[in-house]
Amino acid sequence: SALAMSSASTTPPSVDKVDGFSRKSVRKAKQKRSQSSSQFRSQGKPIELTPLPLLKDVSAQEQPELFLKKLQQCCAVFDFMDTLSDLKMKEYKRSTLNELVDYVTVSRGYLTEQAYPEVVKMVSYNIFRTLPPSDSNEFDPEEDEPTLEASWPHLQLVYEFFIRFLESQEFQPSIAKKYIDQKFVLQLLELFDSEDPRERDYLKTVLHRIYGKFLGLRAFIRKQINNIFLRFVYETEHFNGVAELLEILGSIINGFALPLKAEHKQFLVKVLIPLHTVRSLSLFHAQLAYCIVQFLEKDPALTEPVIRGLLKFWPKTCSQKEVMYLGELEEILDVIEPTQFVKIQEPLFKQISKCVSSPHFQVAERALYYWNNEYIMSLIEENSNVILPIMFTSLYRISKEHWNPAIVALVYNVLKAFMEMNSTLFDELTSTYKSDRQREKKKEKEREELWKRLEDLELKRSLQSDGIIPT
Amino acid sequence: MAGAEGDDSLYPIAVLIDELRNEDVQLRLNSIKKLSTIALALGVERTRTELLPFLTDTIYDEDEVLLALAEQLGSFTVLVGGPEFVHNLLPPLESLATVEETVVRDKAVESLRKISQEHSPVDLEVHFVPLVKRLASGDWFTSRTSACGLFSVCYPRVSSTVKAEIRQHFRTLCSDDTPMVRRAAASKLGEFAKVLELDYVKSDIIPLFTALASDEQDSVRLLAVEAGVSIATLLPQEDLEALVMPTLRQAAEDKSWRVRYMVADKFSELQKAVGPEITKTDLVPAFQNLLKDCEAEVRAAAANKVKVFCENLPEDSRETIIMTHILPCVKELVSDTNQHVKSALASVIMGLSTILGKDNTVEHLLPLFLVQLKDECPEVRLNIISNLDCVNEVIGIRQLSQSLLPAIVELAEDAKWRVRLAIIEYMPLLAGQLGVEFFDEKLNSLCMAWLIDHVFAIREAATCNLMKLVEKFGAEWAQNTIVPKVLGMANDSNYLHRMTTLFCINALSGVCGQEITTKHMLPVVLKMSTDQVANVRFNVARCLQKIGPVLDSSALQAEVKPVLEKLATDQDMDVKYFALEAISVLALA
């Protein structure tokens, strides 16, 4: 587009028919999915594995020994970022892993005591690694394509094998717990930060099985998940596997015995509730809300602290998150006991009243939908004496002022419902609306005056201390 | 000193406290931010007995309010009656130091650190140290985390018994159960070491450092690296090898790239801390490894340090080390597969020329610069170009000019406007170094092309660039080369280009001077006052206001005034507005 001037100068300026802006799109085509892998372990010389016979080709007595040998061979880790290296050996390991997967699924009597440490060693060698740095500087899980694990062709089979091993009928936790210990679990949990959703999905199953089979590790697992969440909320705001961990927790909470231990309540209030503050809430909100509701179904007395917690962290500027909060709140209200509702209705409806008058119509609309929920409606009706005065001002004002006609229509319905519920109170509020507003204005003015006086005082004092006005 | 007593009739505490309790968070926040005013109104006595207890009791508010409160309390000493009463501020700050939200907690710790200095040694032991101990043995991790930041401020000012207790508490926190607390302890380890007696550094800090540096979590290990640097500066040379180096060596080869990254990132500080001998024996090979690391992040962090590391090498062996150990790695990085690595290197590599001198630069570095100038990634080229001045001092820029030109032209037309913007900003510098002839021949047309870029920021920068060029090359050059082209655009069919003429005149009239402005620019501006597009017309008014001071009074009266008066009656309100403004500023009414 450069240098159009010389020709332009000969034509006289005319009325601009077109807008002078040119709109060039310089956006590049979408990049293809990127791959990455930890490269620290696999450097240097080519790997040589001596091919072994197939397990099915040897006698039953020889199988356990050969099984161990194959496990040892599979400890060799290949560099998948280099697509040309060790091709033959990569293929050999792949087929061996496939064979091992079938073997632990079908065979009986393969799990000798010596096999346990070798299985855990093979799995550890393959899956435990420092996750590579994220490709994009600020990986945004909502925008960016995840970087996939390059060594997946092997890794997947290792996970597959491990899950079959854990699920095998011959598997004995009492032997395995010597090898699947706290350190193992800790490393496993760190892998949940993997950017590759396929890996996180396998990890979820693995952790679930371990939690189910190793009673001695349960408290430890819960505590470490706590730590991961706390670091996520208060330190880094970055961890890819939050949704997966919450999903596991959902079923763990389901199994909690009653009455709930203090530890579990603390987890709810100090960890799960603050998780709502994280920027990327949308990525795990469904799983989080599920956990919260699970808790409340276990112990309704937790309703008040939960709702107060949500109100404390209510989003101020992010409408998208506000809509999520409103959705979760409705899920909670669906299971709330009337006695709990009464305890929390005032602060709750003060917030709902703010949401209803939000200029963002999706927020207002989401809040107004509560009035379509029969159970919530019945609770409101029972307590209209308290709720109506809180809601009235906002509703009345929006019915006159909101820019969005759909919202105005919804508000009319809500007002109508209130009128039918409690016409005496409704009429009273209507008639005092004006005087209430005036009283508020007057109060506001008094506030301003108070502050003005205070500021004058401060000014005077600072002049005094500067020695300008003698005391 | 604040007034000793407030006036209760004017400012009843209930009213003030109502303000702090207002239902609207924003109003509550405003009130908290003016907490000092409230305290002033109450006087020191009632601030201590009524306001502070209220604040301590109602600490469960929104984090934003708490943050403001934590900050305010840090400078409240005078409002409670001076250092003698400063301990009255501890209860609310102690609660704030235990809340979950990191920002609030950090602010509370900051304020506590601040007011710790205002405690007398006795008060410190009676009031402050017990608070630290309570926090250090709190149930929830937040209070223990906060405690980590408070040890170093009290340690130097307490008795040796209390010192021993403080050391014990710190030790306990370093092996805390939760990684959050260990991280906090690791991040304060260096700071704490600095206030300890040397013997205790050796007996207490070193084992803690070694333990944290081999923590199971890499997020703890990497913080220990930073502490290691601080500790190294405290120890006498002869102890370094035995006490710190094994751990640091291990960190440089940690299996987690984050830890290695940290080592690379802190490399210059480390180099300073360990001194020339260890640098030669240990750091040089370690640095080579980091430059060849398998993770690009680590290589990039190390590449960033190449210049500073070389600069700080001991003089007697600097050149040999660079030529035999560092340069071979640098050569490989020039063709790295990762653009961040190349870009990091490009931002410092030119600096090596001053260290290596003319001959080495020509023989070894110049070929690398030339490769980087042709790199596929624009940031790499840009980083080279933006550091040309280093090379210019050593070998002169002419050596590069043949390769420079295609690089500049390509950047000038890059699809990303930020890249174009960056290269425009280096134009005046390049013009100065390359000289007027080279400029006229090769770069002038680029500078003019930017004036009609489709992104406003580029057109604006191009305008400013022209001004800087005229400052360099003079008014006569301007009149012969750029003014005619700029004025030619006044007839362009695109109103945005016509406006660019006006913006250029705004920028150029001052540097071009009265004669050129009056003779060549003014007529064009005046003619544009009849433009069909209102935006052009009101920019004429603004332009006249801008160039008015450059013109003499006869031109103002005879030519500018009538045009502005006419514009002041324009149908468009913006045109009117700017015309009237110009008339008033130029005093033509």
Side-chain angles (χ1 to χ4, degrees):
Chain A
S1 76
L3 297 177
M5 295 187 278
S6 48
S7 64
S9 60
T10 55
T11 43
S14 59
V15 183
D16 292 309
K17 294 241 171 66
V18 279
D19 164 355
F21 298 95
S22 65
R23 289 191 183 79
K24 273 193 199 165
S25 172
V26 286
R27 261 173 197 262
K28 275 194 294 181
K30 262 213 157 171
Q31 284 182 335
K32 61 171 187 169
R33 287 199 146 197
S34 57
Q35 286 206 330
S36 126
S37 195
S38 174
Q39 293 176 43
F40 198 57
R41 346 170 260 182
S42 49
Q43 284 174 306
K45 15 182 184 12
I47 296 164
E48 272 307 322
L49 301 175
T50 320
L52 296 168
L54 293 178
L55 283 157
K56 67 174 165 61
D57 293 345
V58 301
S59 69
Q61 295 100 310
E62 287 171 297
Q63 278 187 6
E65 182 65 26
L66 185 58
F67 178 58
L68 292 185
K69 278 194 183 148
K70 294 203 172 218
L71 284 171
Q72 278 152 10
Q73 281 197 329
C74 287
C75 287
V77 177
F78 293 90
D79 179 3
F80 274 80
M81 292 306 277
D82 184 348
T83 45
L84 296 175
S85 70
D86 302 314
L87 282 180
K88 258 195 183 147
M89 287 299 121
K90 279 177 188 165
E91 175 52 27
Y92 172 71
K93 179 174 169 182
R94 200 189 58 79
S95 64
T96 307
L97 283 168
N98 261 325
E99 195 195 358
L100 292 177
V101 171
D102 291 343
Y103 186 67
V104 290
T105 318
V106 183
S107 300
R108 294 282 166 265
Y110 74 95
L111 258 183
T112 58
E113 219 171 310
Q114 296 96 301
Y116 284 85
E118 293 304 321
V119 167
V120 175
K121 188 172 139 201
M122 189 278 276
V123 171
S124 303
Y125 269 57
N126 279 280
I127 68 171
F128 293 152
R129 64 216 192 273
T130 307
L131 295 170
S134 184
D135 235 9
S136 42
N137 244 352
E138 265 287 296
F139 174 65
D140 177 355
E142 276 177 288
E143 289 281 328
D144 305 329
E145 289 280 345
T147 307
L148 297 180
E149 173 57 50
S151 65
W152 193 242
H154 285 174
L155 209 53
Q156 177 180 20
L157 293 171
V158 173
Y159 278 118
E160 195 67 52
F161 167 78
F162 192 40
I163 290 169
R164 306 276 174 105
F165 167 76
L166 291 169
E167 289 175 348
S168 149
Q169 286 173 353
E170 292 170 49
F171 178 76
Q172 293 180 3
S174 54
I175 303 174
K177 73 178 181 193
K178 273 184 269 177
Y179 313 104
I180 297 179
D181 54 5
Q182 294 193 348
K183 189 162 186 251
F184 184 91
V185 167
L186 201 60
Q187 288 173 283
L188 194 71
L189 284 168
E190 274 174 25
L191 290 176
F192 276 83
D193 193 22
S194 168
E195 240 179 75
D196 193 330
R198 301 169 304 183
E199 177 165 25
R200 296 202 304 271
D201 208 49
Y202 271 104
L203 284 164
K204 195 170 70 186
T205 314
V206 169
L207 186 66
H208 211 152
R209 296 291 168 271
I210 292 179
Y211 192 88
K213 291 184 193 283
F214 298 83
L215 303 187
L217 286 172
R218 288 186 176 181
F220 180 80
I221 291 175
R222 289 197 305 268
K223 197 169 89 187
Q224 294 311 321
I225 294 180
N226 259 354
N227 288 341
I228 288 175
F229 284 168
L230 289 168
R231 181 178 63 179
F232 173 63
V233 174
Y234 294 115
E235 293 182 9
T236 60
E237 288 223 350
H238 174 94
F239 193 83
N240 290 313
V242 176
E244 283 82 2
L245 290 176
L246 283 169
E247 211 172 303
I248 298 170
L249 282 166
S251 60
I252 293 179
I253 295 165
N254 210 330
F256 282 162
L258 287 171
L260 288 177
K261 287 190 206 162
E263 173 213 326
H264 301 325
K265 291 186 194 170
Q266 188 183 44
F267 170 67
L268 170 68
V269 175
K270 297 222 172 198
V271 183
L272 287 186
I273 298 288
L275 267 176
H276 287 84
T277 61
V278 175
R279 199 177 39 178
S280 55
L281 176 67
S282 64
L283 295 172
F284 54 84
H285 182 249
Q287 291 84 351
L288 179 58
Y290 178 78
C291 287
I292 301 276
V293 173
Q294 288 293 302
F295 261 112
L296 298 185
E297 290 200 288
K298 285 260 160 195
D299 184 358
L302 293 167
T303 311
E304 188 179 346
V306 164
I307 292 184
R308 283 200 188 272
L310 288 179
L311 294 177
K312 179 180 170 186
F313 294 132
W314 202 271
K316 304 274 185 307
T317 53
C318 181
S319 311
Q320 212 191 344
K321 261 172 99 177
E322 235 179 319
V323 173
M324 284 186 255
Y325 273 54
L326 284 165
E328 181 172 349
L329 210 49
E330 184 164 0
E331 282 181 54
I332 294 172
L333 290 174
D334 271 332
V335 300
I336 201 169
E337 289 185 0
T339 48
Q340 296 297 325
F341 181 81
V342 175
K343 284 189 201 166
I344 199 71
Q345 56 182 350
E346 276 189 58
L348 178 62
F349 277 86
K350 275 180 189 162
Q351 182 58 55
I352 293 176
S353 148
K354 278 186 209 158
C355 295
V356 162
S357 40
S358 166
H360 195 300
F361 83 97
Q362 284 173 336
V363 175
E365 185 182 60
R366 188 67 192 80
L368 288 163
Y369 279 164
Y370 283 11
W371 274 263
N372 294 341
N373 182 315
E374 272 180 42
Y375 182 60
I376 298 178
M377 256 318 246
S378 72
L379 291 168
I380 294 177
E381 189 160 5
E382 270 168 56
N383 300 285
S384 64
N385 274 335
V386 181
I387 295 172
L388 180 51
I390 298 173
M391 295 296 300
F392 186 79
T393 318
S394 297
L395 293 173
Y396 193 85
R397 203 166 35 79
I398 310 158
S399 71
K400 307 227 176 299
E401 285 174 10
H402 204 283
W403 64 271
N404 184 307
I407 296 298
V408 174
L410 282 169
V411 165
Y412 269 117
N413 286 337
V414 171
L415 281 170
K416 202 166 137 248
F418 271 126
M419 201 154 58
E420 284 160 9
M421 259 177 222
N422 195 337
S423 59
T424 338
L425 180 58
F426 192 90
D427 290 345
E428 200 180 299
L429 289 167
T430 318
S431 62
T432 56
Y433 180 80
K434 260 203 181 130
S435 56
D436 284 350
R437 292 297 76 69
Q438 274 164 355
R439 213 175 36 243
E440 268 171 32
K441 269 189 192 149
K442 195 169 156 247
K443 225 175 137 191
E444 182 54 29
K445 229 177 150 193
E446 283 170 7
R447 283 194 61 252
E448 271 171 31
E449 274 165 20
L450 170 77
W451 279 106
K452 219 170 151 273
R453 286 209 309 275
L454 285 173
E455 268 149 33
D456 288 347
L457 173 86
E458 188 171 39
L459 202 66
K460 214 171 80 197
R461 289 276 165 82
S462 72
L463 289 178
Q464 274 174 11
S465 64
D466 291 345
I468 296 170
I469 302 172
T471 32
Chain B
M1 183 80 211
E5 57 212 79
D7 184 340
D8 190 43
S9 59
L10 263 179
Y11 318 105
I13 178 122
V15 177
L16 298 175
I17 283 180
D18 260 4
E19 284 298 289
L20 294 172
R21 269 198 198 130
N22 199 305
E23 243 181 56
D24 186 329
V25 194
Q26 194 52 50
L27 293 179
R28 227 155 53 223
L29 190 59
N30 291 345
S31 310
I32 281 283
K33 284 185 175 157
K34 293 180 193 155
L35 196 62
S36 58
T37 311
I38 293 179
L40 201 60
L42 289 172
V44 295
E45 172 86 38
R46 300 184 61 209
T47 297
R48 289 199 298 269
T49 55
E50 294 174 51
L51 183 61
L52 287 178
F54 164 76
L55 291 173
T56 315
D57 292 342
T58 53
I59 223 100
Y60 305 98
D61 202 333
E62 305 239 357
D63 292 327
E64 211 172 336
V65 177
L66 297 183
L67 175 66
L69 179 59
E71 186 169 12
Q72 289 271 314
L73 291 176
S75 39
F76 236 59
T77 309
V78 76
L79 295 162
V80 292
E84 199 186 326
F85 298 99
V86 63
H87 61 266
N88 283 282
L89 297 173
L90 296 179
L93 281 172
E94 181 173 353
S95 311
L96 289 168
T98 63
V99 303
E100 264 82 16
E101 178 51 51
T102 326
V103 203
V104 177
R105 231 183 315 133
D106 287 351
K107 192 52 92 180
V109 169
E110 196 185 313
S111 288
L112 280 168
R113 286 167 70 107
K114 205 166 147 195
I115 65 168
S116 72
Q117 302 308 314
E118 286 157 344
H119 283 69
S120 69
V122 175
D123 279 351
L124 203 64
E125 283 196 19
V126 177
H127 300 288
F128 199 89
V129 172
L131 172 147
V132 178
K133 287 186 197 162
R134 277 195 302 278
L135 288 176
S137 39
D139 280 341
W140 190 239
F141 79 96
T142 52
S143 72
R144 302 200 299 278
T145 306
S146 293
C148 294
L150 296 173
F151 295 115
S152 65
V153 291
C154 22
Y155 191 85
R157 301 175 60 215
V158 293
S159 67
S160 55
T161 342
V162 180
K163 278 185 176 175
E165 287 171 24
I166 291 179
R167 290 196 303 273
Q168 179 54 45
H169 276 290
F170 194 83
R171 262 201 299 278
T172 313
L173 293 182
C174 283
S175 54
D176 196 277
D177 203 23
T178 70
M180 286 79 79
V181 177
R182 293 202 303 279
R183 277 194 288 276
S187 70
K188 300 293 176 191
L189 184 65
E191 172 189 296
F192 188 54
K194 280 186 192 153
V195 298
L196 251 60
E197 298 80 357
L198 186 58
D199 282 345
Y200 290 124
V201 173
K202 291 187 200 169
S203 65
D204 282 39
I205 297 290
I206 295 295
L208 296 177
F209 166 60
T210 316
L212 290 169
S214 43
D215 195 277
E216 63 202 4
Q217 304 239 335
D218 62 356
S219 54
V220 178
R221 296 201 299 277
L222 67 88
L223 290 167
V225 172
E226 212 175 342
V229 176
S230 305
I231 295 167
T233 54
L234 300 170
L235 294 173
Q237 192 70 31
E238 65 268 22
D239 287 329
L240 284 175
E241 181 50 45
L243 298 181
V244 211
M245 286 317 291
T247 310
L248 286 175
R249 253 178 240 132
Q250 173 197 317
E253 288 168 8
D254 196 283
K255 68 180 193 308
S256 163
W257 62 269
R258 289 185 189 82
V259 179
R260 302 195 306 276
Y261 172 91
M262 198 59 157
V263 175
D265 196 49
K266 298 281 163 219
F267 218 77
S268 320
E269 289 90 334
L270 186 60
Q271 185 184 9
K272 248 179 232 151
V274 299
E277 278 317 304
I278 294 182
T279 295
K280 273 194 249 176
T281 54
D282 272 88
L283 295 196
V284 171
F287 195 57
Q288 284 175 294
N289 284 337
L290 292 170
L291 288 172
K292 288 188 240 167
D293 197 278
C294 56
E295 290 297 353
E297 250 75 3
V298 181
R299 292 198 301 279
N304 259 321
K305 303 286 169 189
V306 164
K307 183 198 158 201
V308 190
F309 182 73
C310 293
E311 229 167 29
N312 293 333
L313 286 169
E315 219 164 311
D316 55 353
S317 48
R318 185 188 294 154
E319 196 175 319
T320 333
I321 294 177
I322 298 177
M323 298 306 291
T324 52
H325 299 294
I326 307 297
L327 206 56
C329 300
V330 168
K331 277 182 187 160
E332 274 175 46
L333 291 184
V334 165
S335 45
D336 199 278
T337 48
N338 184 290
Q339 67 174 55
H340 298 292
V341 177
K342 288 186 291 188
S343 168
L345 182 69
S347 67
V348 298
I349 190 174
M350 311 289 271
L352 291 179
S353 45
T354 12
I355 306 171
L356 289 177
K358 191 172 173 185
D359 293 343
N360 278 329
T361 301
V362 173
E363 195 185 334
H364 298 285
L365 294 177
L366 197 57
L368 303 181
F369 301 158
L370 295 177
V371 172
Q372 293 219 297
L373 269 179
K374 293 193 191 94
D375 198 277
E376 55 180 6
C377 162
E379 268 107 73
V380 176
R381 284 174 266 147
L382 207 56
N383 282 346
I384 290 291
I385 291 174
S386 60
N387 287 294
L388 280 174
D389 45 338
C390 317
V391 186
N392 196 27
E393 287 161 22
V394 183
I395 56 167
I397 203 165
R398 296 255 159 197
Q399 298 253 23
L400 275 173
S401 51
Q402 282 316 309
S403 314
L404 211 46
L405 191 67
I408 295 172
V409 172
E410 216 178 301
L411 289 169
E413 288 162 1
D414 195 280
K416 294 201 188 79
W417 68 267
R418 283 174 206 281
V419 173
R420 300 201 295 278
L421 186 64
I423 189 72
I424 294 177
E425 277 160 11
Y426 293 115
M427 266 304 154
L429 187 78
L430 285 170
Q433 285 166 354
L434 293 165
V436 66
E437 270 169 51
F438 187 92
F439 182 87
D440 279 345
E441 196 182 321
K442 318 271 188 188
L443 300 178
N444 192 16
S445 58
L446 283 179
C447 292
M448 301 316 288
W450 281 320
L451 290 173
I452 52 167
D453 196 283
H454 62 278
V455 174
F456 176 75
I458 299 299
R459 299 197 297 275
E460 194 187 28
T463 311
C464 181
N465 172 47
L466 288 187
M467 183 183 78
K468 289 185 184 151
L469 290 174
V470 176
E471 281 171 355
K472 268 212 161 79
F473 295 151
E476 199 185 328
W477 173 82
Q479 198 189 336
N480 294 330
T481 48
I482 58 171
V483 172
K485 288 185 190 167
V486 165
L487 297 181
M489 284 165 63
N491 297 314
D492 200 292
S493 61
N494 185 331
Y495 81 97
L496 292 171
H497 298 173
R498 301 204 292 280
M499 291 211 299
T500 304
T501 299
L502 292 170
F503 297 145
C504 286
I505 292 174
N506 286 344
L508 293 176
S509 64
V511 282
C512 286
Q514 196 181 62
E515 204 200 318
I516 296 178
T517 307
T518 317
K519 254 201 201 155
H520 301 280
M521 297 178 177
L522 184 60
V524 175
V525 179
L526 296 174
K527 204 175 137 213
M528 290 171 88
S529 68
T530 56
D531 199 286
Q532 314 254 20
V533 177
N535 288 34
V536 176
R537 294 200 302 280
F538 80 62
N539 274 299
V540 166
R542 294 173 75 181
C543 179
L544 289 172
Q545 177 183 331
K546 180 95 189 180
I547 67 173
V550 185
L551 304 169
D552 65 18
S553 62
S554 67
L556 275 175
Q557 290 297 335
E559 302 183 63
V560 175
K561 192 177 168 184
V563 168
L564 282 176
E565 278 167 350
K566 186 161 167 266
L567 289 174
T569 61
D570 201 282
Q571 326 162 319
D572 186 277
M573 59 186 253
D574 292 322
V575 178
K576 253 194 230 175
Y577 173 84
F578 285 111
L580 288 170
E581 189 183 76
I583 289 173
S584 113
V585 169
L586 297 173
L588 291 174

